[in-house]
Amino acid sequence: MLWARELSHAFGAIRALDGISFTLDRGQTLVIFGPNGAGKTTLLRVLAGLVRPSRGSAGVEGGRRAIGWIGHQSQLYGHLSVRENLRFWGTLYDVPAGELERREGELLARLGLEARAGQQVRTLSRGETQRAAIARALMHDPPVLLLDEPFTGLDRLAAEELGRLLGELAARGRATVLVTHDVKEGTELASDVAFMRSGRFVAFGPRGGRDAAALTAAYREAVAGG
Amino acid sequence: MAEILRHAWLIARKDLRLEFRSRTALASAFVFTALVLVIFEHGRDPTAVPTIDLAPSILWVTFSFAAMLGLNRAFQAELENQALDGLLLAPISRTSLFWGKFGANLVFVALVQIVGVLLFILFFNVPVWRVWLPFLLVCALATVGFIAVGTLFSAMVVRTRFAELMLPVLLLPFLLPPLIAAVAITVKLFAGRPLSESGGWLRLLAGYDLAFVSLTTLLFPATVTE
Amino acid sequence: MTLAQRGRWITLAALVLLAGIYVRALRFTPVELHQGPAQKIFYLHVPAAWSAMLSMGLVGLASILFLIMKDARLDRFAAASAEVGTTFCCVMLTTGPLWARPIWGTWWTWDARLTLTLMLFFLFIGYQVLRGAVTDPRLRANYAAVVGICGLILLPFIHLSVYLFRTLHPLPIVLKPSAPSLPAPMLVTLLLSFGVFTLLYVGFVMQRYALGETGDA
């Protein structure tokens, strides 16, 4: 579903990515842990096609149409209502007119935003905005989800809710890549984990039922050794 | 091609809706236009220089600066919540994005120009209505090329510091040919000369527009690729 | 020899030759009939303009090639050429009025060539300001290339528009003396000066480029 092959990318002297290779299939959720500056966001942006790598290749089956991106920025227009935003983005992704209304309704209900549907996005709380951003990303029903530190700025409750939602989405056969610097977030969602440091995967493999604590230990070990 | 235009239209419509909701740029441009015209009106001695000689220059200088005020708004709105990334991720061509922005800018500038001309007729008592059709043509021709370059530059400048200052600095040399041509033709028009006498100038404007609309369309992807 | 060293030698050679041009212009080239000694600035002014145009042309060319080939060296070259071009523009814009005052009685006139150089100067300044305002080197290179190419395409339009304007609004003072029909010794001095200024361009750009390699400017 998506892949990277000997992916390398440099900004001038800085090596952001250094020989990353992996593949991901439907139903798999890869969670990439790494400190800030490890290159996680760059990797995601290369996968999404926003950045052309200096060397190697990466891609998603189905191209841009198949990708849903959820980051810590909502990519929504503050002065448009939730509904108007969904309508705009859905149309841009060529969701047929009839489908548009149906999905809109469905997503608003699922994400608990019906009450806010007509309100301008700038009036929403952080948690509500994040949910609206998710609705936006799902309007075109993408088989691949790319998530860039989606838990940033969310309070405990909202973060748990998001985790639950993402679990639901992943279970429906999507291929998901989630990057985060906090091991506590996203552990439950992962089918596979990777530890990233200085543009490289210092470990990569199935989660194997390990919990957050076990992963943290493994992460420290891998980082110390690498 | 039809796809590109359709997506461009979607983006332009969204931009215009946003602008009418927030009204900040439009209001500033209207106020600026009125202010400049008032200052020129009071700054000159009506007995010394006949209005009809100076009027075209005043009008076109006002138009140009008001237009520059509005140009940054196009990409500013996209930075708010990183919506620009969303647009780059969507399965639309870079050209649609550029033409959408370009189109919205043209509408914006057209509105400012209408208000400007009305105030202009009011303050300077120039018989524009007698030559309104050729005048309209000149306005359109002179504005198109210049706004194309402005749209391209604003895409770059919006991510730098001092964006409001950078745009005029970069854009000013590009203002010269259409400005000179527009003033020259307008002087002739107000003096009652037929449009055919300004053939050379019109050809210059057409050539400029053709060259720069093509060039800016070609170059735009370079400003958003990483 | 490193690039910077070679550049320094070339610049030195060019400066020596420039001194030679001065001597030739002042002592061995005949004084122009109508304008007198002040006309001799012409030998500096015109080649400086040529170097400025050359700089811009090469900035434009390097920019186009950079966008196609993505080679950072091309960007570095464009940056070097632009800085050198700005310097030559300054020379042109200062020698111009110095020449114009005694000949035309005015410091400045909006004729085609002077206006073109002024706009060229603004283009260079804008280019440098943009480069200075962007920190990410890849973004900066892309942006600079875009402006460089647009600037290059703009030049013929500026020239055309000011030229058209000028033919409709004739100069208030004596017509500008034109270059074509020059007596042989003056022509030779002029051509030699062109050569020297081109050499100066090469020397300056080499040094500036070398500086860019170390400092990532």
Side-chain angles (χ1 to χ4, degrees):
Chain A
M1 199 80 265
L2 56 79
W3 75 90
R5 213 173 294 134
E6 290 302 311
L7 201 55
S8 290
H9 190 66
F11 297 126
I14 306 162
R15 190 145 278 264
L17 295 175
D18 197 358
I20 302 249
S21 299
F22 72 94
T23 58
L24 203 70
D25 279 318
R26 283 179 178 286
Q28 283 188 289
T29 302
L30 172 65
V31 178
I32 304 177
F33 298 110
N36 291 325
K40 312 186 296 296
T41 302
T42 310
L43 175 59
L44 225 52
R45 288 176 82 83
V46 173
L47 283 171
L50 284 174
V51 178
R52 214 174 313 152
S54 9
R55 219 175 291 143
S57 67
V60 171
E61 204 181 300
R64 285 183 274 170
R65 206 170 284 279
I67 299 173
W69 175 285
I70 299 166
H72 39 96
Q73 294 272 38
S74 68
Q75 291 180 7
L76 296 168
Y77 294 104
H79 281 90
L80 293 182
S81 73
V82 178
R83 189 163 267 140
E84 280 168 336
N85 266 290
L86 293 182
R87 195 61 67 93
F88 172 71
W89 290 106
T91 317
L92 217 56
Y93 275 86
D94 294 326
V95 175
E99 270 293 291
L100 215 55
E101 259 200 75
R102 192 185 64 79
R103 291 219 196 135
E104 209 180 277
E106 204 183 286
L107 286 166
L108 286 172
R110 184 117 148 275
L111 290 157
L113 287 168
E114 278 151 319
R116 301 263 182 260
Q119 278 183 264
Q120 291 189 5
V121 167
R122 62 198 172 108
T123 61
L124 266 49
S125 71
R126 173 91 183 96
E128 286 165 338
T129 310
Q130 186 68 311
R131 277 183 275 149
I134 295 169
R136 185 199 77 85
L138 295 175
M139 269 304 277
H140 58 287
D141 201 18
V144 174
L145 286 178
L146 300 177
L147 301 141
D148 185 9
E149 314 239 13
F151 297 100
T152 312
L154 292 181
D155 60 49
R156 182 147 200 97
L157 214 63
E160 276 175 12
E161 218 177 289
L162 178 60
R164 224 178 308 126
L165 183 62
L166 291 177
E168 260 178 57
L169 292 171
R172 306 268 194 92
R174 288 194 171 82
T176 309
V177 180
L178 188 154
V179 305
T180 176
H181 62 274
D182 186 347
V183 180
K184 284 189 254 29
E185 304 164 342
T187 309
E188 303 303 311
L189 303 165
S191 65
D192 296 75
V193 293
F195 298 141
M196 194 167 177
R197 199 177 69 121
S198 305
R200 247 187 241 122
F201 277 174
V202 290
F204 181 94
R207 177 162 75 98
R210 287 174 286 179
D211 66 359
L215 281 176
T216 314
Y219 178 60
R220 283 219 195 90
E221 210 184 287
V223 167
Chain B
M1 184 59 167
E3 270 290 287
I4 295 180
L5 288 174
R6 192 169 62 87
H7 288 146
W9 163 240
L10 276 173
I11 292 173
R13 198 180 58 175
K14 180 265 303 174
D15 261 35
L16 289 170
R17 186 177 297 170
L18 274 175
E19 186 48 45
F20 284 127
R21 292 267 174 90
S22 65
R23 276 184 297 272
T24 40
L26 209 57
S28 314
F30 284 158
V31 170
F32 179 84
T33 306
L35 270 174
V36 172
L37 288 175
V38 167
I39 291 172
F40 271 120
E41 161 71 0
H42 287 277
R44 65 182 181 91
D45 178 1
T47 57
V49 182
T51 317
I52 209 133
D53 281 357
L54 217 50
S57 316
I58 295 173
L59 183 67
W60 283 105
V61 167
T62 312
F63 275 175
S64 314
F65 283 89
M68 281 197 277
L69 266 187
L71 283 173
N72 267 330
R73 123 222 110 69
F75 285 96
Q76 200 82 47
E78 307 297 345
L79 287 190
E80 206 184 302
N81 290 316
Q82 280 296 7
L84 183 63
D85 272 354
L87 287 173
L88 295 173
L89 278 167
I92 59 172
S93 77
R94 303 289 186 251
T95 305
S96 326
L97 178 53
F98 182 67
W99 283 0
K101 292 292 174 184
F102 179 37
N105 276 339
L106 283 177
V107 172
F108 177 89
V109 171
L111 288 172
V112 176
Q113 283 181 339
I114 290 172
V115 169
V117 171
L118 291 173
L119 286 174
F120 182 68
I121 296 174
L122 194 69
F123 290 159
F124 292 83
N125 203 18
V126 187
V128 176
W129 56 87
R130 255 183 252 151
V131 289
W132 71 273
L133 192 55
F135 181 68
L136 194 69
L137 179 69
V138 176
C139 280
L141 279 177
T143 310
V144 163
F146 169 61
I147 296 295
V149 181
T151 307
L152 177 68
F153 285 1
S154 72
M156 298 191 286
V157 143
V158 84
R159 272 182 271 189
T160 65
R161 297 173 295 165
F162 313 125
E164 280 76 32
L165 195 57
M166 290 260 10
L167 189 62
V169 168
L170 285 175
L171 208 49
L172 240 37
F174 292 88
L175 186 54
L176 201 77
L179 195 68
I180 292 181
V183 170
I185 303 177
T186 312
V187 166
K188 280 232 161 90
L189 283 179
F190 286 174
R193 317 295 307 156
L195 197 59
S196 51
E197 272 188 30
S198 305
W201 289 115
L202 286 170
R203 274 193 296 274
L204 177 73
L205 282 178
Y208 183 91
D209 288 351
L210 203 67
F212 280 101
V213 172
S214 324
L215 188 63
T216 52
T217 305
L218 259 170
L219 289 175
F220 178 72
T223 62
V224 286
T225 341
E226 288 173 53
Chain C
M1 234 197 274
T2 66
L3 188 66
Q5 286 173 317
R6 256 180 279 153
R8 247 171 262 148
W9 278 113
I10 292 182
T11 309
L12 203 63
L15 288 173
V16 169
L17 289 172
L18 188 64
I21 298 277
Y22 269 119
V23 172
R24 194 196 150 89
L26 288 173
R27 303 213 77 236
F28 296 107
T29 312
V31 177
E32 213 267 349
L33 185 63
H34 298 288
Q35 300 175 51
Q39 182 267 353
K40 304 217 171 175
I41 277 193
F42 170 76
Y43 299 113
L44 286 180
H45 178 83
V46 177
W50 149 253
S51 289
M53 297 292 171
L54 176 70
S55 305
M56 187 66 206
L58 289 176
V59 169
L61 192 64
S63 296
I64 295 173
L65 290 174
F66 172 77
L67 286 182
I68 300 173
M69 303 200 294
K70 300 287 182 202
D71 190 339
R73 289 174 298 178
L74 286 165
D75 174 59
R76 226 176 286 136
F77 173 76
S81 192
E83 266 194 40
V84 174
T86 314
T87 315
F88 284 124
C89 265
C90 287
V91 171
M92 222 226 108
L93 291 170
T94 43
T95 57
L98 284 177
W99 179 20
R101 188 77 171 115
I103 309 287
W104 296 333
T106 178
W107 292 109
W108 185 263
T109 174
W110 292 100
D111 90 311
R113 280 176 237 183
L114 280 180
T115 310
L116 184 60
T117 317
L118 186 65
M119 288 300 126
L120 185 61
F121 178 68
F122 287 145
L123 277 173
F124 277 136
I125 295 289
Y127 182 88
Q128 317 249 57
V129 172
L130 183 64
R131 286 196 79 99
V134 183
T135 40
D136 176 359
R138 277 179 85 143
L139 206 62
R140 177 175 60 209
N142 274 348
Y143 282 6
V146 168
V147 173
I149 297 172
C150 286
L152 184 63
I153 303 294
L154 179 67
L155 289 180
F157 285 104
I158 294 184
H159 183 84
L160 195 61
S161 58
V162 183
Y163 175 77
L164 271 180
F165 192 72
R166 200 170 72 90
T167 54
L168 299 174
H169 296 255
L171 286 176
I173 308 162
V174 175
L175 278 173
K176 185 186 201 314
S178 49
S181 48
L182 276 182
M186 300 173 96
L187 191 63
V188 170
T189 309
L190 185 65
L191 290 176
L192 286 176
S193 196
F194 270 120
V196 172
F197 268 81
T198 308
L199 201 62
L200 261 181
Y201 170 81
V202 171
F204 282 152
V205 169
M206 284 171 85
Q207 289 185 74
R208 183 61 187 80
Y209 182 88
L211 213 70
E213 269 180 339
T214 52
D216 189 59

